[in-house]
Amino acid sequence: MVKIGDKGISLRNLVRSVYNLSSTFFFTPDYDDVYRHVQQFVLKNSKTPSSAIERMGVRGYYRLNKKSNVAEQLMLQFGIDDDSPESLF
């Protein structure tokens, strides 16, 4: 969600990303189970103004809440490091 930025992401696209990241050669999760888990996580973590995830003006769109301490810590931990091997190529 850090890469999405201020425009947010739809729940459908977020579920699809989580589903694709969870699928392996030996295991394919049930899409409906992944949808329910992601939906519950997003709803649970977007209830208050200080939550890590905030709702957008458009129904079904979410983004990281930059005013949240939790989201700020996540952005620091998973932010792009200029010395990382990926940035050298």
Side-chain angles (χ1 to χ4, degrees):
M1 285 188 84
V2 172
K3 290 183 180 181
I4 300 303
D6 291 335
K7 62 184 177 180
I9 187 171
S10 69
L11 182 62
R12 179 180 170 199
N13 287 339
L14 183 60
V15 169
R16 189 178 309 138
S17 291
V18 172
Y19 177 80
N20 288 338
L21 290 170
S22 301
S23 298
T24 66
F25 185 68
F26 299 105
F27 175 73
T28 302
D30 183 44
Y31 183 83
D32 293 331
D33 289 340
V34 174
Y35 187 92
R36 277 192 300 275
H37 286 289
V38 171
Q39 183 182 38
Q40 289 174 358
F41 178 83
V42 167
L43 291 175
K44 186 171 122 178
N45 290 292
S46 66
K47 288 187 177 186
T48 64
S50 62
S51 296
I53 300 171
E54 67 178 335
R55 296 177 185 183
M56 302 289 298
V58 180
R59 182 178 176 200
Y61 275 75
Y62 300 88
R63 68 177 173 197
L64 283 179
N65 183 0
K66 293 182 180 179
K67 299 174 189 168
S68 168
N69 293 334
V70 175
E72 186 176 322
Q73 184 64 36
L74 287 172
M75 286 188 272
L76 289 173
Q77 287 179 345
F78 296 106
I80 298 173
D81 182 16
D82 290 336
D83 296 332
S84 66
E86 292 103 18
S87 65
L88 297 177
F89 298 105

